[in-house]
């Protein structure tokens, strides 16, 4: 059985109708691919439409302010993706006359584009013969061929990359790549794969040797760091203070002034918190502890509403409550604002 032909045939009957599959416009394909990294298709869809409505061309994106780009991206997470899109759009407009490059190596050299995205854009927009390798593809190959080498080692990466390239149908790389990823997403799913209706089940190694739950194998376990953040919503009449972050994963986004604590959050009347409050701030109310999970860290947060008559806070801007929505915030703060303002 020809692996690729079989996948493409299945794809023809079962593919989801997604907007980025009906275009050859490299700009739109690029936007969709960056949005879909670490994001479920259903969730990414509305961001895709929102993003293209606001920035329909690479020129519109390159002309935008970083704040505007982050505002559209708000809630999607992994904000470096948005910053890189913005940076790269400027680079293409300034250095390549606004024309998206059409060779794999040129695409790969762009900021924010790795081997997966370069292969996806190359094949979908320009029909270049480069095989994609994402989590869906790795899972299917590992199970079907019974590959037990951890995929996150250099040996594993090389092996999976080579195999996916060998399997590629070079005449229709766009269809092949779409088909293999769609099959991994809809049939050979991480949990509860649909082996009973999978037309590969006769030949599938993992299915035949009862290894479906064990494959693929990952070597490194992610170490989750815990963080404790007390956000201070310092209220003065209808105003409060926010600050733009200059570093970290939330660079470019806004947040309330905060105090990070070592291994637990402040409680009212605690010595350390009282030391900070002095006579300047009085507690109006505070939130329950909110747990916000990111891939590498768990953030425990509490929002403290403080009354004060201060008019100026270093590195902060004073903003009316009803103007807070003009600024981009990380999801943790955005959710709090949605439910409490
Ligand atoms: S039989 Fe199951 S594990 Fe094997 S390829 Fe099909 S869905 Fe994946």
């Amino acid at each position: 059985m020809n692996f690729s032909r079989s996948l493409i045939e299945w794809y023809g009957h079962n593919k989801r109708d997604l907007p980025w599959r009906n275009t050859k416009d490299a700009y739109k394909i690029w936007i969709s691919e960056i949005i879909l990294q670490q994001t479920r298709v259903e969730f990414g869809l509305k961001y895709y439409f929102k993003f293209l409505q606001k920035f329909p061309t690479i020129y519109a994106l390159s002309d935008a302010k970083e704040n505007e780009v982050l505002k559209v991206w708000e809630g999607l997470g992994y904000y470096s993706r948005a910053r890189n899109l913005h940076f790269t759009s400027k680079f293409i407009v300034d250095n390549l006359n606004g024309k998206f490059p059409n060779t794999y190596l040129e695409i790969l050299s762009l900021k924010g584009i790795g081997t997966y995205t370069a292969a996806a854009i190359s094949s979908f927009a320009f029909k270049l013969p480069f095989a994609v390798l994402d989590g869906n593809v790795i899972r299917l190959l590992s199970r079907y061929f019974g590959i037990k080498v951890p995929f996150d080692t250099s040996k594993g990466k090389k092996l999976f990359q080579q195999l996916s390239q060998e399997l590629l149908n070079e005449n229709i790389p766009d269809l092949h790549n779409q088909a293999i990823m769609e099959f991994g997403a809809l049939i050979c799913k991480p949990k509860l794969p649909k082996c009973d209706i999978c037309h590969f089940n006769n030949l599938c190694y993992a299915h035949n040797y009862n290894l479906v739950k064990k494959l693929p194998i990952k070597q490194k376990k992610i170490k989750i760091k815990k963080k404790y953040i007390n956000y201070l919503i310092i209220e003065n009449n209808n105003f409060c203070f926010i600050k733009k972050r200059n570093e970290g994963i939330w660079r470019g986004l806004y947040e309330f002034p905060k105090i990070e604590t070592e291994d637990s959050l402040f409680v009212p009347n605690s010595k350390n918190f009282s030391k900070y409050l002095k006579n300047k701030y009085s507690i109006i109310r505070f939130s329950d502890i909110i747990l916000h999970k990111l891939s590498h860290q768990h953030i425990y947060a509490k929002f403290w509403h403080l009354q004060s008559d201060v008019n100026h806070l270093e590195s902060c801007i004073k903003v009316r409550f009803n103007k807070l929505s003009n600024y981009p915030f990380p999801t943790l703060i955005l959710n709090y604002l949605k439910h409490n303002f």
Side-chain angles (χ1 to χ4, degrees):
M1 180 176 53
N2 184 308
F3 190 75
S4 177
R5 204 175 54 219
S6 183
L7 279 172
I8 291 169
E9 200 181 308
W10 170 88
Y11 180 69
H13 296 295
N14 297 283
K15 68 175 173 190
R16 291 168 290 181
D17 184 20
L18 300 170
W20 46 84
R21 288 183 176 160
N22 305 322
T23 180
K24 289 284 165 204
D25 182 338
Y27 172 69
K28 290 181 181 166
I29 291 169
W30 173 46
I31 301 300
S32 72
E33 286 302 330
I34 301 297
I35 286 176
L36 290 177
Q37 287 169 11
Q38 325 271 355
T39 305
R40 279 178 300 111
V41 165
E42 306 75 45
F43 190 63
L45 256 176
K46 71 171 186 194
Y47 279 90
Y48 175 77
F49 289 123
K50 202 162 77 159
F51 200 93
L52 286 181
Q53 195 180 20
K54 181 91 179 158
F55 312 116
T57 62
I58 200 157
Y59 293 99
L61 181 57
S62 71
D63 275 347
K65 296 205 172 71
E66 188 183 77
N67 251 12
E68 294 177 279
V69 181
L70 290 172
K71 187 69 196 163
V72 177
W73 205 265
E74 193 180 53
L76 194 52
Y78 299 95
Y79 294 89
S80 59
R81 293 181 294 169
R83 290 192 294 267
N84 287 340
L85 276 177
H86 191 216
F87 176 93
T88 297
S89 70
K90 283 178 184 295
F91 175 83
I92 293 175
V93 167
D94 295 344
N95 299 287
L96 308 174
N97 292 326
K99 202 168 170 285
F100 208 94
N102 61 3
T103 68
Y104 175 79
L105 285 179
E106 279 177 294
I107 296 171
L108 184 62
S109 72
L110 298 171
K111 191 170 179 189
I113 293 189
T115 48
Y116 161 77
T117 311
I121 300 172
S122 300
S123 60
F124 302 155
F126 306 111
K127 271 189 172 273
L128 297 173
F130 291 89
V132 290
L133 186 67
D134 71 345
N136 289 320
V137 179
I138 288 172
R139 192 167 57 251
L140 171 61
L141 298 185
S142 166
R143 287 172 176 170
Y144 180 79
F145 292 100
I147 300 170
K148 294 167 191 152
V149 180
F151 64 84
D152 56 341
T153 57
S154 50
K155 189 178 168 195
K157 279 177 200 160
K158 208 168 150 194
L159 199 150
F160 280 104
Q161 190 67 61
Q162 263 172 6
L163 179 58
S164 66
Q165 193 61 39
E166 276 166 30
L167 294 167
L168 180 73
N169 183 332
E170 296 198 350
N171 296 322
I172 37 175
D174 46 348
L175 267 183
H176 171 97
N177 280 340
Q178 292 285 14
I180 195 166
M181 287 196 289
E182 190 79 332
F183 194 86
L186 299 183
I187 302 289
C188 197
K189 303 195 289 184
K191 285 177 193 152
L192 303 176
K194 298 180 175 172
C195 299
D196 46 339
I197 57 158
C198 172
H199 60 274
F200 288 134
N201 60 13
N202 267 344
L203 296 167
C204 173
Y205 185 95
H207 183 65
N208 292 335
Y209 290 94
N210 202 16
L211 286 172
V212 175
K213 283 188 183 152
K214 296 225 164 73
L215 295 177
I217 293 171
K218 186 174 184 178
Q219 187 176 63
K220 289 180 208 136
K221 289 231 161 28
I222 297 173
K223 266 198 187 157
I224 305 280
K225 241 174 95 179
K226 285 184 182 173
K227 253 186 164 182
Y228 298 87
I229 304 180
N230 299 273
Y231 285 111
L232 310 177
I233 305 179
I234 300 170
E235 304 185 8
N236 181 349
N237 292 316
N238 292 322
F239 290 90
C240 66
F241 295 88
I242 57 172
K243 192 175 186 173
K244 190 173 185 176
R245 283 190 62 133
N246 295 321
E247 43 162 42
I249 52 168
W250 290 339
R251 180 158 53 86
L253 301 176
Y254 287 77
E255 62 184 6
F256 297 107
K258 64 174 191 251
I259 303 175
E260 282 192 39
T261 34
E262 197 68 4
D263 50 14
S264 65
L265 291 157
F266 284 145
V267 289
N269 302 325
S270 72
K271 243 189 183 173
N272 286 346
F273 197 26
S274 304
K275 230 185 338 185
Y276 175 83
L277 297 173
K278 294 185 191 147
N279 294 326
K280 259 171 48 185
Y281 308 107
S282 54
I283 298 171
I284 309 170
R285 63 191 164 98
F286 55 91
S287 72
D288 290 335
I289 295 173
I290 296 165
L291 172 59
H292 185 67
K293 290 183 178 178
L294 298 169
S295 55
H296 289 78
Q297 55 182 342
H298 288 177
I299 297 175
Y300 294 84
K302 216 174 201 178
F303 289 83
W304 296 88
H305 292 252
L306 306 176
Q307 179 62 52
S308 174
D309 52 12
V310 294
N311 274 311
H312 174 77
L313 273 183
E314 205 186 318
S315 343
C316 290
I317 52 172
K318 197 175 166 188
V319 181
R320 269 186 191 281
F321 289 139
N322 61 5
K323 296 285 181 221
L324 282 170
S325 59
N326 292 345
Y327 297 85
F329 291 99
T331 306
L332 166 62
I333 296 180
L334 190 67
N335 286 343
Y336 186 75
L337 289 176
K338 267 188 201 156
H339 297 113
N340 292 277
F341 280 83

